[in-house]
Amino acid sequence: MNPATGKVITAVAAGSSKDVDVAVDVAKKAYKTSWGLKVPGTVRGKLLYKLAELLERDIDEFAALERKVYANAKAGDIRMSIEVFRYYAGWADKVQGKTIETNEDKLAYTRHEPYGVVGQIIPWNFPLMMLSWKFGPALATGNTIVLKPSEITPLTALRFADLVNEAGFPPGVVNIVNGYGSTVGQAIADHPLIEKVAFTGSTLVGRKILKASSESNLKVVTLELGGKSPTIIFDDADLEQAIKWAAYGIFTNMGQACTAGSRIFVQEGLYDKFLAKFTEIAKNLVAATGDPFVVGTQHGPQVSQIQFDRVMSYIESGRQDGATVHTGGTRHGEEGYFIQPTIFTNVKPEMKIMQEEIFGPVGVVGKFKTEEGEPSYCVSTL
């Protein structure tokens, strides 16, 4: 779906557990015959450098496929993804063990080896950046990959597969299987031949992946999950810098980030000045909300109808619990999934908007008196 209009862009085939089986078999064969310890780090590094060059060549296309504010995606998401591949390209020939001194009768050493086939499951909020974070280290160290992109944002990963082929990676090293978490994601988490799973997403699903690992082959699991990060601003803070970074922390990417600073605690001596200028930034973003491809747009739509509804339900929850909608709190325009940057005040720690991750452009601003009274207020989340 195009989140700016709510209209269909295209249809993508959904995979199944059988497709995961095929992908794992191909990846296993590639690992044993044409990748892994069969290919030196210098070669892996050259291929990753080539991948970065191709991505830089096609930066405009990939920025468009991200389905967010085009200028931000090009300067941020895609540019940083290019740098990630270059970074890991430089590491590929520096994976080293150690020789350990013991005595003249024996030789003791350590050797770093790839896991083999690794599963990767990425979210929709930073499609290409998340892919680069998963692909870069896995390929640099000689692993083969079975990756599931989000069913909401599969286009970036599918187009990226073309670059993998063009760069010259052997067949089977990288495998991308579209589908839903309950089918393809579950199959990756359960598969006995996948040695490691890297997952970025919700805490709920992270628990399911850990459970699947414990009930299958005890595969290694790396999890990057949700958060409810506090931003804490004291009276002696640089006001302009505090406002700048607090606004960036909650409104960037339309608040769709696990590190979003959605709870902002301001000491009472600075609170009024902070709130006034913070509100001004939010209102300016409303004026700069619109078509992601138009020059000057700074604030785009939420990624989907489901996410739009979820964020709006949290805004309604805040109202029902007695918080004040200081600004925003409504849909922007008549089509697409746009939500005005929103600020809540007069909040209490037990409110749902203070406790749970909203994943939208909703900042909750609270006030505190002293440093001694602040910490428990900031960490009391579910």
Side-chain angles (χ1 to χ4, degrees), residues 62-332:
F62 277 92
L65 290 174
E66 286 285 278
R67 297 172 54 213
K68 56 178 70 177
V69 176
Y70 174 81
N72 295 346
K74 182 176 179 179
D77 302 47
I78 313 303
R79 179 59 59 189
M80 284 190 279
S81 298
I82 292 167
E83 296 307 316
V84 167
F85 283 113
R86 287 185 173 140
Y87 174 82
Y88 283 106
W91 272 109
D93 62 352
K94 299 172 184 67
V95 181
Q96 302 167 349
K98 294 181 178 180
T99 302
I100 303 168
E101 183 178 354
T102 55
N103 58 53
E104 294 181 351
D105 297 327
K106 65 180 178 181
L107 173 66
Y109 68 95
T110 62
R111 179 186 184 184
H112 293 178
E113 296 183 354
Y115 285 103
V117 182
V118 297
Q120 302 177 341
I121 304 172
I122 59 175
W124 46 259
N125 55 334
F126 295 97
L128 189 66
M129 195 183 303
M130 292 296 174
L131 182 148
S132 71
W133 291 1
K134 300 291 189 284
F135 273 23
L139 293 174
T141 51
N143 298 281
T144 55
I145 294 169
V146 177
L147 176 134
K148 187 194 94 66
S150 170
E151 64 273 16
I152 298 173
T153 54
L155 300 182
T156 311
L158 292 177
R159 178 65 181 93
F160 192 80
D162 292 332
L163 300 192
V164 172
N165 288 332
E166 187 178 350
F169 284 83
V173 172
V174 171
N175 306 272
I176 296 173
V177 183
N178 293 310
Y180 295 96
S182 59
T183 52
V184 173
Q186 189 68 52
I188 289 174
D190 288 335
H191 206 288
L193 296 182
I194 290 179
E195 303 293 340
K196 183 184 188 300
V197 169
F199 169 76
T200 299
S202 72
T203 303
L204 176 65
V205 175
R207 289 192 179 104
K208 291 181 178 180
I209 290 174
L210 278 177
K211 185 173 184 289
S213 170
S214 70
E215 294 176 348
S216 56
N217 60 333
L218 289 174
K219 56 178 65 65
V220 178
V221 176
T222 301
L223 302 175
E224 182 191 5
L225 307 178
K228 188 67 174 172
S229 304
T231 299
I232 306 169
I233 301 170
F234 291 93
D235 285 344
D236 60 353
D238 182 319
L239 181 60
E240 296 302 321
Q241 288 294 315
I243 293 167
K244 171 186 174 181
W245 291 110
Y248 180 86
I250 183 55
F251 296 134
T252 188
N253 203 43
M254 291 63 71
Q256 299 171 139
C258 61
T259 55
S262 58
R263 298 181 300 147
I264 304 167
F265 301 94
V266 186
Q267 198 165 9
E268 60 181 4
L270 203 61
Y271 180 85
D272 290 339
K273 291 181 180 179
F274 173 88
L275 184 59
K277 293 192 176 184
F278 189 56
T279 303
E280 183 181 343
I281 290 178
K283 290 182 176 180
N284 288 340
L285 283 175
V286 173
T289 299
D291 186 337
F293 290 96
V294 171
V295 175
T297 296
Q298 297 178 38
H299 187 80
Q302 307 308 122
V303 74
S304 67
Q305 181 71 58
I306 292 174
Q307 188 61 22
F308 174 89
D309 292 342
R310 173 185 169 86
V311 175
M312 292 303 294
S313 73
Y314 273 106
I315 292 174
E316 180 59 27
S317 171
R319 287 194 178 100
Q320 293 295 324
D321 286 345
T324 300
V325 178
H326 184 74
T327 189
T330 61
R331 180 188 194 120
H332 182 90

